[in-house]
Amino acid sequence: MKIKTSDAIALLQGRGPLARLLGITWQAVDQWGEYVPELRAYQLVEKCPAALSLVEQCERSATT
């Protein structure tokens, strides 16, 4: 499962809200690369079902 870090941050309107949702620090979010780590992506989708649309976006752009 791939979610772009920038898309996840935009969805939750900042690094802080994203970090709080996942129970981590915003500094940890800053260490992510282009994509949210896979286990965090699953956690994100579980806690915020709207994030599932980000997975679908990422998969569509990878196939084109």
Side-chain angles (χ1 to χ4, degrees):
M1 175 182 301
K2 283 190 171 185
I3 297 175
K4 284 192 171 189
T5 300
S6 59
D7 291 343
I9 291 169
L11 176 69
L12 291 165
Q13 300 177 349
R15 297 173 302 176
L18 174 59
R20 280 190 293 279
L21 179 72
L22 299 177
I24 60 176
T25 64
W26 64 264
Q27 291 94 340
V29 173
D30 276 353
Q31 293 180 19
W32 295 350
E34 183 178 356
Y35 295 99
V36 174
E38 190 168 1
L39 294 177
R40 292 293 184 193
Y42 281 105
Q43 186 182 15
L44 177 59
V45 169
E46 181 181 311
K47 293 186 177 208
C48 179
L52 190 56
S53 67
L54 301 178
V55 174
E56 294 165 355
Q57 262 182 347
C58 190
E59 289 175 354
R60 276 196 304 270
S61 65
T63 59
T64 56

